[in-house]
Amino acid sequence: VQLQASGGGLVQPGGSLRLSCAASGSVFRINVMGWYRQVPEKSRELVALITDAGTRYGDFVKGRFTISRDKAKNTAYLQMNSLKPEDAAVYYCVAALSIPVLQTTPPYWGQGTLVTVSS
């Protein structure tokens, strides 16, 4: 499975960005897609996940982000609104067979896309 992330960039506080993650290859291995993020000297933290059963968000999201998925295109999207400076990070697309698998074995990772929130 290959994951291609896009959509990062520079945005002002309060602004919006939409990230995309396109999966290719053995996509039948994927039932969950999502995003983690990482800042220097900290471990990756969950941003959002989506499965057929629903969605899961990191506690910090607080209704500001929405994850969606176009299964026909094997693509997941992360709409980020009301961005704050503390949202600045490298955002990594992730995919796995299931959430339990994601939590216990190395999932598929895309390359990171940098999000900068600054005036």
Side-chain angles (χ1 to χ4, degrees):
V1 174
Q2 293 79 47
L3 302 176
Q4 181 66 46
S6 61
L10 172 64
V11 64
Q12 293 185 341
S16 299
L17 278 176
R18 189 175 84 150
L19 306 182
S20 299
C21 175
S24 61
S26 302
V27 296
F28 62 89
R29 299 175 183 267
I30 297 172
N31 289 305
V32 57
M33 295 185 72
W35 300 88
Y36 280 70
R37 70 183 188 182
Q38 188 171 25
V39 296
E41 302 183 349
K42 290 190 176 182
S43 57
R44 291 184 186 183
E45 67 173 340
L46 171 68
V47 179
L49 297 172
I50 186 167
T51 71
D52 287 343
T55 57
R56 181 181 297 186
Y57 294 95
D59 291 340
F60 66 89
V61 170
K62 299 187 186 302
R64 299 182 297 127
F65 299 175
T66 302
I67 189 169
S68 61
R69 182 177 180 182
D70 185 333
K71 296 189 73 174
K73 296 182 178 180
N74 297 310
T75 300
Y77 304 95
L78 183 68
Q79 178 66 42
M80 303 188 293
N81 299 326
S82 302
L83 283 162
K84 305 174 183 180
E86 52 264 42
D87 292 317
V90 178
Y91 283 69
Y92 293 93
C93 177
V94 66
L97 180 63
S98 67
I99 290 180
V101 169
L102 185 151
Q103 293 172 332
T104 57
T105 60
Y108 302 106
W109 290 105
Q111 89 286 5
T113 185
L114 179 63
V115 172
T116 304
V117 185
S118 175
S119 55

